[in-house]
Amino acid sequence: YVRGDRFNPEFIEKRRASLERFLKKIAVHPVLQRAECFRVFLDSRDWNSDLALQNKKRQDEGRLDTIGDALLNAFAKIKKPDEKFVIMRDEVDKLEENLQGLERLEQRILKRQEELEIDYREFGGAVAGLGNLETGITEPLHRFAHTVASYATILNELSTREDAEFLSELHECLAYCNSVKSVLKLRDQKQLDFEELSDYLQQQVAERQRLVSNGRLGGSASIGGFFQQKMDEIKGVDQERAKQDKLKRVEEKIKDLQDAVEKSSDDSDLFSNETAKEYEIFQLQKTKDMRQCLLDYTTGRVEFFEKGKDLWDQIIPVLEAIHVDDD
Amino acid sequence: MSFSETDDPTISQDNLHDQTYSYQEQPYTAFTTIPRNAPGTPCCKISDFLHEPHTSLFVTSATKVADGLTASAFVAYTIKIGDKEVRRRYSEFESLRKVLCRIYPTLIVPPIPEKHTISNYANLQNKSKEDAVIVEKRKRMLQKFLNRLAKHEILSYEHIFHRFLEPDASWSELMHCPPISTLPKNPMSATLTASASAVSHSRSASVPQSPTSPFQSSPGAPTNAGQPAPPPLRQPDPRFIDSEVFTQKFSNQLSGSMDRSQKKVVRKLGEIASDKSELGATLNGFSLSEYACVPLSNAIERVGQAVDSSFMATTELMQALEVNVNEPMQEYIQYANIIKAILKFRHQKHLLSESTADQLESKRNNLENLERMETEAKRIEDALKRERTATSGSSSTSSTIHNDSTQNEGETNDSHSEEGAFTNEPESISEPTENAETNNPYARSDSMASNTNGDPTNPYAHTHTPPTSAVKRRSTRLNVFSALSHTLHGIIDVDPEATRRNNIGKTKDAIAQLEEQLETTNADLDNISRAVQADLDRFQRQKIKDLRDILLEYAKAHQRWCQKNLGSWSEAKQL
């Protein structure tokens, strides 16, 4: 993809296959397949305007604040990580690592295969040249050269195929892993939200306790509070009144927080459940994908070796027929 | 076009052959520089063993040996012949080869592995491992060298080769004894055929030495780039021109893209193999981490196994190509250089023949001139005698006639030219009066000497000028120079007549000598040409066979590789 050239037929074919797989995966997914924008996408004649319509609708539902939250909580860590999701996270990481290793090696092999193809062609050409010099064996040598050239061609076919299929599929799998990871992160986010809200709630509850129990305005333990108290006494503020106001405020906050915490808890739970389900789906899809990927790889190779063997089988009798008046 | 151009023996090339027998009748001999037995004569047990059918020599091991004298180590290669063993080191192989080349300058002696090749040291990462690889390669190539010698119709009967294979024969001793010590330094000067007996070295004095002996550097060495191309022949032999051109093209083709690309192929295969081994390991690791999903894990494992066996198959392919394709190609590149050197040798012999013929031609011309002067002088003398009997005052006339003749001589740049001028005297010196008259021509000779041009053409047309007019012209000159030249030439030459006769005699001798030389050289050239042609033909057959085998091995190695891979990948497919 990095090499540019978006109009290269090979690239277009690769992309087409990738996009097809993408759509198929959506279609299979129990939830996504019912998404309205998916249907619109399939039907629409003017996707851009339809998309704008969709976005507007979503905006009304106010989900865009999640981005802000995500940024805020980027560095915060969950206090009580759920083991289940930790495992998931690890698994995905490991999978990613493996896939990346495979991708890297396969790319290296493909590159060398491409160079090898060029060398084989050169050798074939050289043998043909030799055939021109050695008039006694011109015909067999030329046929040999032709065999080598054909071999280079099927090597090229194999490389192209592997690049289009195996590498692409690996790449898609990796992208899929990324998606999973971001969902997991989001789930963590929700839990984080919940935890933070809970903490906040706890704080406020503790504050109320304090207010109620020791009857003094908050923060009496600190020197600053002490001075404040003195100042207020001087000013003649009605301490009791202030306390009552403060208490009232705290109570309100607590009430809000309790609602929020409950909501967040629901969200988090919901999200976690969804995530767990999604992960299952991911696992299944991944297994299917990987198996397909490996099958494609294997099939490509088997075909290559069959063709190769044929080529070499055919040229051997031609060479053996070269007759020398032996001494 | 190939080496075996025409088998038609009756194509006689210009003045080269005097063919007493046709090519087919001539048994296969070689042109040797020292007497050798004819191939086929029984000579020793080793020879017998070599000539049994289906015997091979093996270089079985290479061991480091410490040289007791100089405390340096060298590698000794063990040659197994039958059930006996003999150890030789690389330098002894090299020296054996050099000796064979010097004895048989027309034979294509097989090459030995080179001493230091840059490409061997190019990828030195692990020195000891590379060393072992190089030693293995050398073993293979030395073994090939020995077996090629053993199969050669002539070289297999060479006793020195047999001694080399003898366990108890010390090579350094062999080197210092005859026949090796009697080898002529310069094969160009040797004139010998396999069946002849006389070794003529005496001619070497007048043989123009060739600038470089083609065998001073081992022809097994990679390049002869330093040696200049020999000058072209006036009447070259078309068969050998073709051979020379062909060899050049062949050498270029092989050592050019063919060798280069094949080396790259082998190297790339090696790289791919190591990548595959890594891939296999990664897949195996992957399979383990997917233990949760058994079918997937199995699938990955199977693919991993297929990749592993592919790695092994690719390594095998690489090694097979290296040993059965790249190394033989290397050998043939060396062969091409050897053939170039042999053709050059023949070319130089041909040059020698031509230059000898040239010398002969010029000497013959000299003789002609001298003899013509003799007859002229005689004729004039006779005329003079007749005139003298008629009139007494004709001396000036005769001298003028002499003058004319001498003036018109064409002289060569030879040192004889001076003397030649003086020999324009009548044959008979019996009359003392002649000497007085001979003063006159010296004048001419003086002017003649300063008038030397290499033009052999003899404008004898002037001899028909009427003497009377000549008298008028000459008389002034005569008076001016005569005194001077008389004293001058008096010192140099007492009796020009005798000198001239002397020269004629000498020239005749030289001609006889040159004629003999030319004959020998041409005979040699004939033999050499035939021997070279025969060996080229033999080589051509060997080469075609080897090329076929090389390509067959290539195809078979690839076929095996495809086969193996097909097996393992088909297995993996049944996921």
Side-chain angles (χ1 to χ4, degrees), chain B residues 382-397:
Chain B
D382 289 343
L384 199 61
K385 278 194 201 141
R386 285 199 297 277
E387 275 200 46
R388 231 181 271 128
T389 53
T391 56
S392 57
S394 62
S395 57
S396 57
T397 320

Side-chain angles (χ1 to χ4, degrees), chain B residues 150-176:
Chain B
K151 299 267 176 310
H152 194 283
E153 285 113 342
I154 294 187
L155 291 173
S156 58
Y157 289 100
E158 172 53 55
H159 192 58
I160 294 181
F161 174 45
H162 304 154
R163 305 294 319 274
F164 184 84
L165 295 173
E166 256 175 60
D168 307 319
S170 152
W171 186 250
S172 44
E173 272 175 35
L174 273 178
M175 288 285 283
H176 293 113

Side-chain angles (χ1 to χ4, degrees), chain B residues 12-32:
Chain B
S12 70
Q13 296 301 322
D14 313 305
N15 56 351
L16 283 184
H17 326 302
D18 174 25
Q19 289 192 312
T20 51
Y21 33 67
S22 70
Y23 171 62
Q24 281 98 3
E25 286 170 17
Q26 176 79 1
Y28 181 39
T29 59
F31 174 80
T32 58

Side-chain angles (χ1 to χ4, degrees), chain A residues 256-275:
Chain A
D256 281 340
L257 278 178
Q258 271 173 338
D259 285 341
V261 163
E262 203 172 312
K263 184 148 174 291
S264 169
S265 169
D266 288 341
D267 266 357
S268 176
D269 284 342
L270 197 66
F271 214 95
S272 294
N273 287 338
E274 288 297 313
T275 306

Side-chain angles (χ1 to χ4, degrees), chain B residues 124-263:
Chain B
L124 267 187
Q125 285 155 356
N126 183 352
K127 189 156 200 302
S128 60
K129 193 166 95 161
E130 286 301 315
D131 270 354
V133 166
I134 293 175
V135 164
E136 277 305 307
K137 198 175 160 127
R138 257 200 191 174
K139 265 172 57 183
R140 282 195 296 268
M141 293 173 93
L142 288 175
Q143 181 170 300
K144 199 152 204 194
F145 167 70
L146 291 174
N147 280 310
R148 283 207 197 274
L149 281 181
K151 299 267 176 310
H152 194 283
E153 285 113 342
I154 294 187
L155 291 173
S156 58
Y157 289 100
E158 172 53 55
H159 192 58
I160 294 181
F161 174 45
H162 304 154
R163 305 294 319 274
F164 184 84
L165 295 173
E166 256 175 60
D168 307 319
S170 152
W171 186 250
S172 44
E173 272 175 35
L174 273 178
M175 288 285 283
H176 293 113
C177 301
I180 296 186
S181 49
T182 64
L183 271 178
K185 285 281 180 291
N186 186 350
M188 286 298 290
S189 59
T191 58
L192 183 65
T193 60
S195 32
S197 52
V199 180
S200 45
H201 286 291
S202 53
R203 306 279 173 245
S204 56
S206 46
V207 167
Q209 293 294 313
S210 53
T212 51
S213 161
F215 300 105
Q216 270 159 14
S217 60
S218 160
T223 63
N224 281 339
Q227 306 201 346
L233 297 166
R234 266 209 315 278
Q235 289 162 318
D237 188 338
R239 289 173 304 172
F240 289 105
I241 288 210
D242 287 342
S243 293
E244 280 168 15
V245 165
F246 176 80
T247 306
Q248 186 60 41
K249 283 199 193 145
F250 180 77
S251 163
N252 288 345
Q253 186 71 16
L254 269 192
S255 52
S257 61
M258 199 158 156
D259 180 52
R260 215 180 35 228
S261 60
Q262 188 53 20
K263 282 210 173 86

Side-chain angles (χ1 to χ4, degrees), chain A residues 98 105 108 112 115 120 122-123 126 133-135 144 151 286 298 305 309 312-313 319 322 325, chain B residues 1 253 260-261 268 271 275 278 282 289-290 540-541 543 548 554 558-559 561 563 565 569:
Chain A
N98 281 323
L105 283 172
R108 231 179 17 200
R112 296 216 220 265
E115 290 168 13
Y120 268 106
E122 206 186 319
F123 184 68
L133 279 181
E134 294 286 348
T135 48
F144 181 84
Y151 181 72
K286 171 202 82 181
T298 312
F305 286 117
K309 184 164 171 314
W312 298 113
D313 279 343
L319 289 175
I322 293 179
D325 341 303
Chain B
M1 128 182 3
Q253 186 71 16
R260 215 180 35 228
S261 60
K268 285 278 156 48
E271 287 169 2
D275 283 342
E278 247 190 276
T282 309
S289 57
E290 292 295 324
Q540 177 68 13
R541 285 199 299 277
K543 180 180 63 159
R548 179 192 73 185
Y554 185 97
H558 278 91
Q559 184 202 43
W561 180 76
Q563 183 78 49
N565 273 306
W569 286 100

